[in-house]
Amino acid sequence: VLLVSMVTVGSIPAVITSIEKRFGLSSTRSGALNAVYDVAALSSIAPISYYGSRWHEAKTLAVVVFFFGIGTFLFAVPHFITEVYSPLGHGDTGICSISNIENCSPTKVAAYAVLVISQIICGMSAAPLYTIAPSYIDKNVSNVSLFLFSIHFLRLFCYCCPHVLC
């Protein structure tokens, strides 16, 4: 939970301006990149949570964390497959748009597609953590320790994404 919250709420919004500059994205495209995660999470939370609760919950959590790792790895791939980044001069914005078509190289478009796919994978895999993980804790912890484990689980959300629960 801590890792998922740190990646989605902490590191991606912190580096989004660098991603805009690196790949020549407009603010609209970078905002859409953030929104893709939320749309993927919202569209997948019900079916994945339903079928995940019918299956072994620990295995479901392991699978979604594995896919979240794949999505996070994919998010880093465009930085390694594109040309070396060099800051632009003062006159050129470097933004890939219809009016500035020379900045729309195929590698930048492919990099943006990989970033979107990685956000979809991360969104779909992080969504069940909000539903299946508390249920798993409830079923596998004694009544005496349940309060303590639940508080620690919720505290992780409060540290990383205080706007969600706190």
Side-chain angles (χ1 to χ4, degrees):
V1 173
L2 182 63
L3 176 67
V4 170
S5 298
M6 283 175 33
V7 169
T8 59
V9 179
S11 66
I12 291 177
V15 299
I16 198 71
T17 56
S18 298
I19 292 171
E20 284 178 0
K21 291 176 187 173
R22 171 84 164 93
F23 299 111
L25 301 177
S26 65
S27 295
T28 305
R29 285 186 179 229
S30 65
L33 189 63
N34 273 342
V36 164
Y37 173 88
D38 294 328
V39 170
L42 182 64
S43 63
S44 67
I45 194 166
I48 291 177
S49 296
Y50 175 77
Y51 290 113
S53 66
R54 301 277 183 242
W55 195 42
H56 194 267
E57 289 176 337
K59 290 179 183 176
T60 302
L61 290 172
V63 167
V64 297
V65 167
F66 174 75
F67 278 108
F68 188 83
I70 289 173
T72 304
F73 174 75
L74 280 177
F75 196 81
V77 166
H79 298 284
F80 299 110
I81 62 171
T82 57
E83 64 274 355
V84 176
Y85 175 68
S86 62
L88 300 170
H90 296 291
D92 189 13
T93 62
I95 295 177
C96 178
S97 65
I98 293 173
S99 63
N100 199 5
I101 200 72
E102 64 272 1
N103 286 323
C104 297
S105 68
T107 56
K108 286 183 180 180
V109 174
Y112 183 71
V114 171
L115 290 172
V116 169
I117 290 168
S118 72
Q119 286 293 88
I120 291 171
I121 293 171
C122 285
M124 290 179 71
S125 60
L129 290 176
Y130 304 112
T131 56
I132 295 175
S135 171
Y136 180 74
I137 291 171
D138 185 37
K139 291 177 184 174
N140 293 296
V141 175
S142 68
N143 288 338
V144 175
S145 302
L146 180 62
F147 178 74
L148 183 65
F149 278 92
S150 297
I151 291 299
H152 285 301
F153 181 77
L154 293 174
R155 189 174 59 172
L156 292 175
F157 283 115
C158 291
Y159 284 154
C160 297
C161 43
H163 64 280
V164 176
L165 293 174
C166 300

